[in-house]
Amino acid sequence: MRVLVTGGAGYIGSHTLLELMAQGHEVCVLDNYTNATPEVLTRVRALSNGAVTDYVGDVRDPAKLDEVMQNFQPEAVIHFAGLKAVGESTQKPLYYYDVNVGGTLALLHAMDRAGCKRLIFSSSATVYGDPVYLPYDEAHPTTPTSVYGRTKLIAEQMLQDWAAAQPGASAVLLRYFNPVGAHSSGRIGEDPKDIPNNLMPFIAQVAVGKRAALSVFGDDYDTPDGTGKRDYIHVVDLARAHVAALNYAQTNTGARPFNIGTGDSYSVRDMVAAFERASGVTIPTQLAPRRAGDIAAMQADATRAKAELGWDAKHSLDEMTASTWAWQSANPDGYDS
Ligand code: WQD
């Protein structure tokens, strides 16, 4: 199929491009490069020998969207383009609503104008908010506690209403848990623009000497070692979930959410120990206060994705840390290396 990938030069988008092309799909990228660099697509092309059509532009721009729709005529869209920093979303709420909600709305209008009826949406487990029970299944209440989480939930609800009103439309809502890791080549990976918010890229930057030590945000949580536990999922497994979702969207209509996680969870100290095993590098840590909004533990119930998408996670924790180390050690300054 011809697949438009918004935000395709990003961390998850670039890994998804490779999986799409490996399955014979034709891909086109729309990215405004606020959180990516064109070097990513240069490397994706080198890794795939595939044609990657790309447009520079903003998903909120109707004229740019129409240009892409008319020239590429996508049969489906995978919508990654969005902002994802939880802390920043609290400081810049209108920016997050404009991009994450407004951008999705503009995309849906453009899809309607072009007659494109399949959308795979990059959602997040943060739509669940504080756990009423664990593991989270898709029926868990959705009470997000951050602006970022609320923008993702509102976009999901827009997609539910769009798919219900649009005959033949399909919207697959993928609720990611914690993506980590990198492509086996070590040529593409996570490259945060500023100081990493997330655990794994911060650990990786400590390992290559860009950061002095990892601050452990609290060790008094109700978990076995007191540090936060999360359901980390290898980015290649996550990318493959998008290909499975695309296949699902070809034979199913309506909107449906799917948890994309492993069902396992690891603590901060588990992750540090695993990274030290993978890299052979000692990761200095210092205890710091809890981070506002953090919860003790979370993991996915991903049985729906296995049953209905025919997908489940295959990569181990050691593969997550080893692939991160391979990427970061070969690219100590990310794509600027
Ligand atoms: C993981 C654990 C921290 C950094 C967020 C978003 C989620 C998704 C993934 C977008 C927690 C601890 C972290 C550090 C630490 N993003 N930690 N020191 O908060 O679970 O999820 O990123 O879709 O939507 O909410 O991920 O990697 O930030 O934190 O101790 O320097 O690591 O307290 O327990 P999180 P994270």
Side-chain angles (χ1 to χ4, degrees), residues 84 86 124 126 148 177-178 197-199 202 214-217 228 230 232 268 291 294:
K84 53 157 272 184
V86 172
S124 170
T126 44
Y148 165 72
F177 280 70
N178 288 59
N197 293 306
N198 296 137
L199 179 67
F202 202 105
L214 171 74
S215 295
V216 176
F217 295 150
R230 295 291 184 273
Y232 297 97
V268 175
R291 181 173 62 178
D294 275 357

Side-chain angles (χ1 to χ4, degrees), residues 34-120:
T34 53
N35 194 26
T37 166
E39 171 65 14
V40 175
L41 296 189
T42 301
R43 296 192 187 191
V44 165
R45 290 182 175 110
L47 286 167
S48 62
N49 300 316
V52 178
T53 311
D54 77 284
Y55 291 81
V56 181
D58 195 301
V59 74
R60 295 168 291 176
D61 178 351
K64 177 59 70 175
L65 286 167
D66 286 346
E67 177 192 353
V68 176
M69 294 288 176
Q70 284 154 23
N71 294 346
F72 183 67
Q73 297 187 14
E75 296 161 280
V77 180
I78 301 182
H79 181 35
F80 292 108
L83 304 170
K84 53 157 272 184
V86 172
E88 184 186 50
S89 74
T90 305
Q91 295 152 12
K92 302 177 180 176
L94 298 188
Y95 182 35
Y96 271 67
Y97 280 104
D98 193 28
V99 175
N100 290 0
V101 177
T104 304
L105 181 59
L107 175 62
L108 289 172
H109 280 307
M111 288 175 68
D112 284 352
R113 291 193 294 271
C116 180
K117 296 188 173 184
R118 299 183 187 96
L119 189 137
I120 316 302

Side-chain angles (χ1 to χ4, degrees), residues 42-291:
T42 301
R43 296 192 187 191
V44 165
R45 290 182 175 110
L47 286 167
S48 62
N49 300 316
V52 178
T53 311
D54 77 284
Y55 291 81
V56 181
D58 195 301
V59 74
R60 295 168 291 176
D61 178 351
K64 177 59 70 175
L65 286 167
D66 286 346
E67 177 192 353
V68 176
M69 294 288 176
Q70 284 154 23
N71 294 346
F72 183 67
Q73 297 187 14
E75 296 161 280
V77 180
I78 301 182
H79 181 35
F80 292 108
L83 304 170
K84 53 157 272 184
V86 172
E88 184 186 50
S89 74
T90 305
Q91 295 152 12
K92 302 177 180 176
L94 298 188
Y95 182 35
Y96 271 67
Y97 280 104
D98 193 28
V99 175
N100 290 0
V101 177
T104 304
L105 181 59
L107 175 62
L108 289 172
H109 280 307
M111 288 175 68
D112 284 352
R113 291 193 294 271
C116 180
K117 296 188 173 184
R118 299 183 187 96
L119 189 137
I120 316 302
F121 179 58
S122 167
S123 191
S124 170
T126 44
V127 302
Y128 293 121
D130 293 335
V132 175
Y133 55 81
L134 285 173
Y136 289 119
D137 61 13
E138 290 85 354
H140 187 283
T142 49
T143 54
T145 56
S146 68
V147 169
Y148 165 72
R150 284 191 284 277
T151 66
K152 286 296 185 180
L153 181 59
I154 292 167
E156 283 197 8
Q157 290 164 341
M158 264 191 340
L159 285 160
Q160 294 272 5
D161 294 335
W162 170 76
Q166 181 71 268
S170 180
V172 187
L173 316 173
L174 300 184
R175 293 174 175 170
Y176 307 163
F177 280 70
N178 288 59
V180 294
H183 186 259
S184 57
S185 65
R187 296 290 292 151
I188 61 172
E190 189 169 11
D191 184 22
K193 284 262 184 212
D194 306 309
I195 299 172
N197 293 306
N198 296 137
L199 179 67
M200 183 71 100
F202 202 105
I203 290 174
Q205 290 191 12
V206 171
V208 293
K210 283 191 77 171
R211 310 283 169 202
L214 171 74
S215 295
V216 176
F217 295 150
D219 68 351
D220 57 352
Y221 284 102
D222 182 15
T223 62
D225 68 14
T227 63
K229 294 185 74 178
R230 295 291 184 273
D231 186 328
Y232 297 97
I233 177 168
H234 197 291
V235 67
V236 171
D237 282 327
L238 180 56
R240 289 175 181 161
H242 291 78
V243 178
L246 196 59
N247 296 335
Y248 175 91
Q250 294 188 64
T251 53
N252 292 271
T253 59
R256 194 158 174 77
F258 293 88
N259 286 340
I260 303 300
T262 68
D264 297 319
S265 69
Y266 298 101
S267 73
V268 175
R269 298 221 180 277
D270 293 335
M271 297 302 280
V272 170
F275 199 93
E276 290 180 332
R277 284 197 303 274
S279 63
V281 176
T282 298
I283 303 293
T285 62
Q286 57 196 16
L287 185 59
R290 288 185 175 192
R291 181 173 62 178

